[in-house]
Amino acid sequence: MARGITLWRTSIQTRILTSVVLLSAAVIAIVGFALASLVAQRLVDSKVSAADEEIDRARVVVEQAIENSAANELQALLNVGREALVDRAAGANSSGALTSYEPLLVAPVSRGTTMASLRRTQPFPNVSTTSSARDRLPTRCRKSQATTVLRTRR
């Protein structure tokens, strides 16, 4: 230990070499962290973009199904839209798509109440069956930044 301290004090070459190695390591660590953050953000952005495109395609499918339906009641229209999404998802999964989801269509009825088209054989975990349709959604879905509105005939 004493020899290292003596070498540090007496050799300018040792001080410069040690300083360059330590500063290089710090710069490499900072650049690596920045690149990792950039790659992660771009991956998230591409996933969000793909999800936005998927919801736009699903909205078009539901709107077309509702337009072509002879049903007049809201619940029947929701069921028609849901079935169109289920049929579309089944076709996509047979073609090798990786996306799998349970469609849920929610429509406002009156004074804060909602009506949903959800046919699920198993209930969502930790969710009461007496709650409103919005409350049956997982928390991360309720806090979604984007809401897609379906235009239905009245």
Side-chain angles (χ1 to χ4, degrees):
M1 177 85 168
R3 185 169 189 254
I5 293 174
T6 304
L7 186 61
W8 176 262
R9 288 181 182 169
T10 59
S11 173
I12 193 161
Q13 185 179 8
T14 302
R15 287 186 290 207
I16 290 174
L17 182 64
T18 304
S19 299
V20 166
V21 167
L22 291 176
L23 286 173
S24 297
V27 167
I28 289 171
I30 290 170
V31 169
F33 179 75
L35 286 175
S37 297
L38 181 69
V39 168
Q41 186 60 45
R42 292 218 174 143
L43 284 172
V44 168
D45 290 344
S46 70
K47 290 289 188 178
V48 168
S49 175
D52 286 342
E53 291 171 6
E54 177 68 20
I55 195 68
D56 287 339
R57 287 191 295 269
R59 180 185 47 79
V60 169
V61 167
V62 170
E63 286 178 353
Q64 288 174 350
I66 289 173
E67 277 298 316
N68 296 333
S69 172
N72 288 325
E73 293 182 11
L74 181 59
Q75 184 66 52
L77 290 171
L78 288 173
N79 291 338
V80 166
R82 183 193 177 280
E83 292 304 319
L85 285 177
V86 168
D87 293 344
R88 180 176 174 272
N93 285 339
S94 67
S95 67
L98 298 176
T99 304
S100 176
Y101 56 87
E102 178 78 22
L104 170 65
L105 301 180
V106 179
V109 180
S110 64
R111 296 184 188 177
T113 61
T114 57
M115 182 179 295
S117 175
L118 175 66
R119 295 185 188 168
R120 191 171 166 88
T121 56
Q122 300 172 351
F124 286 114
N126 303 326
V127 176
S128 166
T129 56
T130 60
S131 61
S132 73
R134 179 175 166 78
D135 293 338
R136 286 186 291 194
L137 284 172
T139 305
R140 67 178 187 269
C141 294
R142 278 185 258 147
K143 293 181 179 178
S144 173
Q145 295 177 355
T147 303
T148 300
V149 177
L150 299 175
R151 290 181 290 277
T152 60
R153 57 190 164 136
R154 290 273 176 185

